[in-house]
Amino acid sequence: MTHSPALPTHVAEAASRALELMEKRWANGSGVSIAPLSPSQLRVLYTLEDHDGTNLRTLAQTLSITSAATSQLCDRIEAVGFLERAANPHNGREVQVQLTDPGRAYLERLRTERRKALMPIVEALPSRDRDALLDGLSAVAAVTAAEAPPPAGTARGA
């Protein structure tokens, strides 16, 4: 008996359902919390982690939101000490945004909490399913990373 390839719509539905279940699990006392940030603020931190030192305008373009909304998000994140703004040394009219050490520590803590929450689930899978999951998720990550071009005009010489 031959195995037919999975339809992309079925794979997308299964991935979406798995993500929803993980979000529910993390939200329901699993020890994983993004507090004190909102999902939008967390997205800013992830973006800055990849493009630290970018200017506000470019950050807004990367996030596909207005400059005003980006500035408001950054205000709130700066208030908790996870990012800082500074004048661009090469262009005094530009403001660079970068993660602080506490911001980096926050992301590492969040990732550690998520890994701990995922371990019982992954450990419950048969080894062949774990291998297949690793292959599939690695492929998804590679395609996703390839589709996200770096923002133009970053302060780090991009």
Side-chain angles (χ1 to χ4, degrees), residues 6-58:
L7 293 173
T9 55
H10 294 157
V11 175
E13 288 169 6
S16 178
R17 179 69 179 140
L19 290 170
E20 289 168 9
L21 290 169
M22 288 311 307
E23 287 172 351
K24 284 170 53 176
R25 182 182 201 107
W26 289 337
N28 292 331
S30 69
V32 177
S33 171
I34 65 169
L37 300 182
S38 69
S40 296
Q41 292 164 342
L42 181 58
R43 190 170 155 232
V44 170
L45 287 192
Y46 287 143
T47 301
L48 288 176
E49 186 176 44
D50 291 336
H51 308 291
D52 209 22
T54 192
N55 64 48
L56 280 172
R57 179 184 49 79
T58 303

Side-chain angles (χ1 to χ4, degrees), residues 45 80-83 99-108:
L45 287 192
V80 296
F82 291 169
L83 70 76
L99 289 176
T100 61
D101 288 340
R104 290 180 197 289
Y106 164 84
L107 288 175
E108 184 53 37

Side-chain angles (χ1 to χ4, degrees), residues 78-138:
E78 190 172 27
V80 296
F82 291 169
L83 70 76
E84 62 187 7
R85 297 180 228 203
N88 181 334
H90 306 292
N91 181 348
R93 294 180 297 164
E94 283 186 355
V95 175
Q96 290 177 298
V97 186
Q98 54 195 39
L99 289 176
T100 61
D101 288 340
R104 290 180 197 289
Y106 164 84
L107 288 175
E108 184 53 37
R109 179 189 56 80
L110 180 62
R111 287 185 176 114
T112 298
E113 289 174 0
R114 287 179 172 176
R115 278 191 296 271
K116 284 180 186 176
L118 285 168
M119 282 303 293
I121 296 165
V122 172
E123 288 172 340
L125 294 173
S127 63
R128 74 177 188 289
D129 290 344
R130 279 195 308 265
D131 291 344
L133 181 61
L134 177 60
D135 289 345
L137 291 174
S138 296

Side-chain angles (χ1 to χ4, degrees), residues 44 55-75 85 95 97:
V44 170
N55 64 48
L56 280 172
R57 179 184 49 79
T58 303
L59 180 59
Q61 290 171 342
T62 302
L63 297 169
S64 299
I65 60 176
T66 66
S67 293
T70 302
S71 186
Q72 288 176 346
L73 285 170
C74 288
D75 287 345
R85 297 180 228 203
V95 175
V97 186

